[in-house]
Amino acid sequence: MSSTHHKRRVRKAVFPVAGLGTRFLPATKVMPKEMLPINDRPLIQHVFEEAREAGIEDFIFVTGRHKELLEEHFDYQPELEDTLKARGKTDMLEKVQDSEMPAGRLFLTRQPRPLGLGHAVWCARELIGDEPFAILLPDDLVNYKQGCLSQMIDAYNVHGGNIVAVKDVPRPETNKYGILNIGQDDGHIVSVKGLVEKPKPEDAPSTLSIIGRYVLQPEVFDHLAVFETGAGGEIQLTDAMAKLIGQQPFHGLRFKGDHHDCGGRLGFIKANLAYGMADKEIGAAVRQAILEAAETIKAGGRDVAAE
Ligand code: G1P
């Protein structure tokens, strides 16, 4: 394995957005789940911004039926911008302009059937070609001054090969994640000896789990192309990645920042509280509202929403 080959610049990122979002029904009956907002921007824009900050130039959406809003969200909206300009709303105008995709940099491919994350990524193979690439799952948000993917690219520039973002989870939750079998571990970077998708707590080789950020070498497509099914009868990205171990460097990065799993309602609501508290304009008021809600709960455990 030549180390120069494995440190080619990461220019492309894949965003798997074909999922149905059944956990948010009926909110996601007609609206893509990736359009659900955390504070002032939809999930998809949070991960787009993280990728852009990390130096990604080409943004590849693996999309599906009823997902057209996602591409429109990143378009130039002339009427809106004119109206904001005419009303002197420069703050809002800047926010809107900042959510625009650079011309010719958004690529769309489709996953016609929900056959698993590995299959979704495989659907982007022609758009990636023969170069390293990133994957960002919009369900996972990481809040930190340096974005998670940017931290991973720093690690990639040192170690090359493949990097996954990892964090410890409570053992009873290993069956929700890809789990690492770890070799060397310096508390920041861990070398990966094995990967297993959604193991039962008693079978999990560790509690270090993959969250939805990856930097991978294109050889992963050779393994995805086999269409082998794994956990849940799905074509798993984790299984294809596991086949690269021993062939190429493979590391886990314990990233800095707070991770929010926005793929379910509880994590989504918690993420909104966290991003709301951190907001420049409304942060103080959000904190106050949380304190008031806590007081109400303490005072009698009343169901605040039921009043
Ligand atoms: C996917 C991956 C899993 C990873 C997780 C992170 O699972 O298959 O390895 O740990 O994303 O969010 P999913 O959440 O799609 O079930």
Side-chain angles (χ1 to χ4, degrees):
M1 65 181 104
S2 103
S3 59
T4 46
H5 171 79
H6 290 296
K7 284 186 198 169
R8 285 179 299 169
R9 203 161 90 71
V10 182
R11 303 184 306 125
K12 302 183 177 185
V14 175
F15 301 79
V17 295
L20 289 178
T22 46
R23 286 187 226 158
F24 289 95
L25 286 169
T28 50
K29 238 175 107 180
V30 296
M31 186 180 70
K33 69 167 172 174
E34 297 81 5
M35 286 303 295
L36 292 169
I38 302 294
N39 193 18
D40 61 353
R41 57 203 69 193
L43 285 165
I44 188 67
Q45 191 181 334
H46 282 280
V47 285
F48 161 72
E49 288 178 11
E50 184 182 321
R52 183 175 62 183
E53 181 222 353
I56 295 298
E57 294 170 358
D58 288 356
F59 304 85
I60 301 168
F61 289 5
V62 181
T63 177
R65 299 164 67 222
H66 310 306
K67 294 282 187 164
E68 294 77 13
L69 271 183
L70 290 173
E71 55 217 71
E72 284 199 28
H73 178 74
F74 293 96
D75 261 347
Y76 171 47
Q77 301 287 353
E79 299 87 350
L80 176 62
E81 292 199 14
D82 290 350
T83 308
L84 292 173
K85 249 178 241 161
R87 294 187 186 165
K89 302 215 185 240
T90 33
D91 282 13
M92 282 299 171
L93 183 64
E94 276 168 24
K95 282 195 192 188
V96 167
Q97 288 172 338
D98 195 44
S99 69
E100 195 179 318
M101 191 67 77
R105 295 298 190 186
L106 173 63
F107 300 84
L108 303 171
T109 179
R110 290 173 84 100
Q111 185 192 28
R113 288 185 173 78
L115 300 178
L117 178 61
H119 180 259
V121 171
W122 177 80
C123 291
R125 67 200 179 282
E126 295 292 334
L127 295 169
I128 297 294
D130 186 30
E131 59 179 285
F133 65 104
I135 305 170
L136 298 96
L137 307 187
D139 278 357
D140 288 299
L141 293 193
V142 178
N143 199 3
Y144 195 68
K145 52 189 184 233
Q146 180 184 14
C148 182
L149 186 63
S150 168
Q151 296 175 42
M152 292 169 75
I153 300 283
D154 285 351
Y156 170 79
N157 289 335
V158 175
H159 300 279
N162 305 274
I163 314 264
V164 288
V166 297
K167 75 164 191 185
D168 265 305
V169 297
R171 188 162 276 273
E173 291 177 24
T174 58
N175 61 359
K176 287 168 52 183
Y177 301 96
I179 300 291
L180 274 58
N181 185 356
I182 48 187
Q184 272 184 349
D185 181 356
D186 70 2
H188 174 60
I189 287 281
V190 302
S191 70
V192 179
K193 283 203 307 194
L195 290 169
V196 41
E197 180 68 9
K198 301 193 170 76
K200 286 188 218 146
E202 59 270 30
D203 300 334
S206 78
T207 55
L208 211 51
S209 77
I210 303 174
I211 66 120
R213 299 287 184 280
Y214 309 78
V215 172
L216 298 179
Q217 296 299 319
E219 287 76 15
V220 75
F221 289 116
D222 301 339
H223 303 295
L224 288 173
V226 177
F227 281 11
E228 193 179 299
T229 54
E234 296 187 347
I235 299 167
Q236 295 291 356
L237 178 62
T238 302
D239 297 341
M241 292 192 302
K243 302 214 169 81
L244 299 174
I245 299 166
Q247 311 291 311
Q248 300 177 343
F250 210 120
H251 293 89
L253 172 72
R254 291 181 205 266
F255 56 91
K256 293 191 185 123
D258 294 325
H259 167 244
H260 297 280
D261 176 0
C262 304
R265 285 188 292 145
L266 177 61
F268 175 78
I269 288 170
K270 281 179 164 177
N272 262 311
L273 295 178
Y275 282 74
M277 283 195 288
D279 187 275
K280 279 199 202 92
E281 281 167 42
I282 61 165
V286 171
R287 258 168 275 186
Q288 187 56 34
I290 292 170
L291 288 174
E292 284 166 20
E295 284 306 318
T296 310
I297 292 165
K298 274 192 227 152
R302 254 181 316 133
D303 180 352
V304 184
E307 285 181 30

